[in-house]
Amino acid sequence: MLLGVIADDMTGATDVALMLNRAGMRTVQVIGAPSAGASLPDADAVVVALKSRTNPVAEAVADSLAACEALLAAGAKQILFKYCSTFDSTAQGNIGPVADALMRRLGAEMAIICPAFPANGRSIYQGYLFVGAVPLHESSMKDHPLTPMRDSNLMRLMAAQTKAPVGHVGCATVLAGAEAVKARFAALAGDGARYVVTDALTNDDLMVLGEAVAGHVLLTGGSGIAMGLPQNFRAAGLLRQRAAPVSLSAPKGRAGIISGSCSTATRGQIKAAVAAGYPALKVDPLALAAGTQTAALLAAWALAQPQDKPFLLYSSDDPAEVAAIQDKLGRDKAGETVEHAFAETARLLADGGVSKLLVAGGETSGAVVQGLGIRTLEIGPEIDPGVPWTRVVAGPDLVIALKSGNFGTSDFFLKAWALLD
Ligand code: ADP
């Protein structure tokens, strides 16, 4: 293995695995923190998908360190700690504490902070993270059910989560090329900086940054930063050129969609699917909590639908409705109730012959993958930036796509099926 990636959620893991796969690294995604001594599959890059974005800090750190040990034992030469391109984190972390722990374990002197993903509109300018044309804190992320983002300045966001000094490399330096960036890293290190926020507005910037961090043992960022890493392994003669897959052969069976994502993009995609006549059932967290809606009922409804169109099960709602439900159930209980129900529903659906599944929502995807008992995924063709179809290698016989809430065009639920043979 050349590159080991520790991803803090399931869709983020798939997203970065896709990026590496497209850039010519054979990539496998492993679900959950590997147990001590467990061996990892052989590949150019292995992405360990954790569910460590919002769990307690100590747990997130322990899982990340376990993943790091397994990746190092399997020969990883560089570790990427991958988080969301919108820097999703709570006031307590977990990005800072996990990065600190990895830095200590790896003896890293400096690590970049680069959540930029220009293909999906995430760019960093003067250390401020933008989502499309607006700063992060003005985007829909300000209302996220679990990690509302109320600041856009990455230096400030990181400084609130770590005691280590945070520096900044501006876009003028990045434009000047990899050598200029390396010189700036050295100057910042001389000033005591341990983390460095790097501006990035375009894919070219990410390629420059990729080249500049060739010697860094630890990187932190979004999936975009992975774009510039394979070139380093190729330049070192460690990686051959390889084409990315364009379609995926799916096992025979029904197709369906599960969505627990309340993000703006997902809600638009649901609208489009409903307008296209997909049989759709809205899941009500209050009814789930009261036991009047159950996983068994949801699965039975889905399996009773005509098979000419994929079915759609969704709890997705607008911020006002989500807030009302959270007021009644509590934020954590609301999320857990929906996640548990969808995890169990997915298991029943797979047992009932569903073999092609789209899942929307990072936390939701984590819960569904756990419910299905999936251990390993092989990365297939890209549906939209950041979202590939994947084939289950260890687990039930199905193909599954895990979509982060804000990803995908409005016809995502309609067009994804065309990539399956
Ligand atoms: P995204 O990728 O869009 O952020 P996630 O699945 O990561 O989506 O997060 C959405 C969270 O909101 C999950 O914990 C989910 O269970 C919860 N949730 C889903 N629907 C509702 C709802 N109607 N009310 C409250 N919480 C909800």
Side-chain angles (χ1 to χ4, degrees):
M1 187 200 318
L2 300 172
L3 180 68
V5 184
I6 302 163
D8 72 349
D9 90 334
M10 192 65 60
T11 47
T14 314
D15 172 11
V16 69
L18 171 62
M19 187 66 81
L20 293 166
N21 209 42
R22 275 179 39 186
M25 294 185 96
R26 198 167 57 82
T27 305
V28 169
Q29 180 171 336
V30 174
I31 317 297
S35 46
S39 61
L40 295 177
D42 184 36
D44 298 324
V46 173
V47 180
V48 178
L50 300 179
K51 201 171 183 302
S52 58
R53 182 168 297 169
T54 51
N55 60 358
V57 171
E59 227 174 83
V61 167
D63 285 353
S64 304
L65 287 174
C68 185
E69 288 311 328
L71 292 165
L72 290 174
K77 300 182 186 331
Q78 190 172 45
I79 298 288
L80 167 61
F81 168 35
K82 193 273 171 197
Y83 40 78
C84 189
S85 61
T86 40
F87 207 75
D88 301 14
S89 41
T90 63
Q92 293 72 40
N94 294 340
I95 294 174
V98 168
D100 285 349
L102 292 173
M103 202 173 228
R104 271 194 302 276
R105 170 61 187 88
L106 294 165
E109 283 163 14
M110 172 174 275
I112 58 162
I113 295 167
C114 188
F117 191 175
N120 272 344
R122 276 57 156 173
S123 58
I124 305 170
Y125 179 65
Q126 304 299 0
Y128 284 77
L129 181 56
F130 284 79
V131 177
V134 298
L136 175 66
H137 73 278
E138 290 179 19
S139 76
S140 59
M141 280 306 297
K142 69 181 187 303
D143 298 316
H144 189 276
L146 304 174
T147 51
M149 299 304 292
R150 303 284 161 84
D151 193 0
S152 305
N153 182 296
L154 288 164
M155 283 81 83
R156 251 188 334 249
L157 283 165
M158 190 63 182
Q161 299 184 22
T162 177
K163 290 197 174 72
V166 185
H168 173 234
V169 177
C171 59
T173 307
V174 178
L175 266 177
E179 289 309 316
V181 175
K182 283 198 247 182
R184 176 82 179 132
F185 283 158
L188 287 167
D191 292 343
R194 303 294 308 278
Y195 292 106
V196 183
V197 173
T198 52
D199 281 5
L201 300 167
T202 64
N203 287 349
D204 286 348
D205 294 344
L206 292 173
M207 296 305 283
V208 166
L209 290 170
E211 192 184 336
V213 297
H216 289 203
V217 64
L218 175 66
L219 315 168
T220 89
S223 57
I225 194 64
M227 188 182 291
L229 304 181
Q231 63 181 343
N232 298 330
F233 297 116
R234 220 167 269 128
L238 299 170
L239 182 67
R240 275 184 295 162
Q241 202 69 43
R242 166 183 176 277
V246 289
S247 68
L248 184 64
S249 126
K252 280 217 168 332
R254 309 177 65 111
I257 305 164
I258 291 179
S259 174
S261 158
C262 301
S263 299
T264 311
T266 304
R267 287 185 283 125
Q269 290 153 359
I270 288 170
K271 242 190 196 157
V274 171
Y278 284 19
L281 180 67
K282 185 155 184 200
V283 177
D284 174 7
L286 297 178
L288 289 174
T292 50
Q293 240 178 7
T294 62
L297 287 171
L298 299 181
W301 173 86
L303 295 172
Q305 299 312 302
Q307 298 205 24
D308 58 325
K309 292 198 171 85
F311 62 81
L312 168 61
L313 288 167
Y314 69 104
S315 66
S316 319
D317 225 328
D318 58 45
E321 289 299 325
V322 170
I325 284 165
Q326 288 180 335
D327 274 353
K328 290 199 180 107
L329 294 179
R331 172 177 290 182
D332 290 349
K333 173 89 191 303
E336 279 163 21
T337 302
V338 176
E339 288 171 33
H340 281 145
F342 278 151
E344 175 65 5
T345 305
R347 205 181 54 71
L348 295 170
L349 291 172
D351 288 348
V354 172
S355 66
K356 304 164 196 119
L357 199 56
L358 287 178
V359 187
E363 298 293 329
T364 308
S365 293
V368 165
V369 163
Q370 259 176 12
L372 288 169
I374 295 173
R375 298 293 306 153
T376 311
L377 292 168
E378 195 174 312
I379 304 304
E382 174 180 86
I383 306 167
D384 262 329
V387 200
W389 275 111
T390 70
R391 171 102 201 190
V392 177
V393 180
D397 189 24
L398 46 84
V399 294
I400 187 165
L402 308 170
K403 189 191 81 74
S404 174
N406 279 311
F407 283 7
T409 54
S410 59
D411 58 349
F412 182 90
F413 291 154
L414 311 180
K415 71 183 181 186
W417 315 103
L419 297 176
L420 299 178
D421 298 331

